[in-house]
Amino acid sequence: MQIQRNPVTAEGKTTTPPAWDAACLEEVCGSCTMVINGKVRQACSALIDKLAQPVSLQPMKKFPLVRDLTVDRGKMFDALRRVRAWIPIDGTYDLGPGPRQAPEEQELRYVLSTCMTCGCCLEVCPQVTPATQFIGAAAISQVRLFNTHRPAPRTRASDCTG
Ligand code: SF4
Ligand code: FES
């Protein structure tokens, strides 16, 4: 933000201000994710006085570059559409109380539900490359979340080998 206020090149020549995404400024939306001092993380929670100087900023490399530090994270949202990672509801209705959940189920589901589609997991994953079709951990963890709501399959007598 300081560079944005006075954008100059290393030679001191005035240049265009850098571009990056940000929305929540409290590490909830994931839009400000970039590579800071070689590590992918959210920029809004990277406190400048806690970082080694000089600070290096790079865009994530697993997503198409839009400009400067802005990338197009659209493929993650496409992946969420592919796995249908949402509750189909149109409007607000009184659905009554949901099924009761055991505390250990809640703990697992809560962690999985905190994905903010930031892209860090795709950035660091060696399996996410242009040569693979792997959609990445973000969408897979939502599949895991939604599958925890499926009833456990019944064991059939024919499944027993003992
Ligand atoms: S699962 Fe991936 S996209 Fe979701 S919050 Fe974690 S690192 Fe970010
Ligand atoms: S601006 Fe939302 S996570 Fe940083």
Side-chain angles (χ1 to χ4, degrees):
M1 289 164 77
Q2 197 176 31
I3 295 169
Q4 192 184 39
R5 282 194 285 272
N6 180 28
V8 290
T9 64
E11 295 77 36
K13 220 173 113 192
T14 302
T15 185
T16 50
W20 73 93
D21 279 332
C24 71
L25 298 183
E26 55 181 0
E27 210 177 66
V28 172
C29 74
S31 65
C32 67
T33 306
M34 60 183 74
V35 180
I36 302 177
N37 285 354
K39 192 176 162 192
V40 69
R41 58 177 296 176
Q42 281 70 60
C44 65
S45 57
L47 302 181
I48 200 87
D49 55 352
K50 300 268 191 301
L51 296 172
Q53 309 287 329
V55 178
S56 123
L57 303 177
Q58 296 168 293
M60 288 193 281
K61 294 185 183 62
K62 296 287 175 79
F63 302 94
L65 181 65
V66 176
R67 181 182 151 177
D68 299 332
L69 299 163
T70 306
V71 296
D72 177 1
R73 293 178 300 135
K75 71 177 178 183
M76 267 190 308
F77 298 102
D78 290 342
L80 291 177
R81 274 191 283 274
R82 276 175 66 193
V83 301
R84 294 181 61 81
W86 67 85
I87 308 284
I89 183 167
D90 182 11
T92 303
Y93 307 98
D94 181 6
L95 298 176
R100 292 174 70 85
Q101 301 184 23
E104 57 273 16
E105 287 174 334
Q106 287 176 345
E107 270 179 42
L108 171 69
R109 289 170 182 163
Y110 177 72
V111 173
L112 293 170
S113 73
T114 58
C115 176
M116 55 184 168
T117 330
C118 66
C120 288
C121 54
L122 274 71
E123 180 71 8
V124 299
C125 178
Q127 300 302 330
V128 176
T129 74
T132 71
Q133 298 296 311
F134 182 46
I135 58 176
I140 299 289
S141 67
Q142 294 311 295
V143 173
R144 173 99 172 87
L145 170 62
F146 280 79
N147 282 351
T148 65
H149 291 277
R150 296 166 81 101
R154 285 216 183 114
T155 306
R156 292 169 303 171
S158 56
D159 290 340
C160 299
T161 54

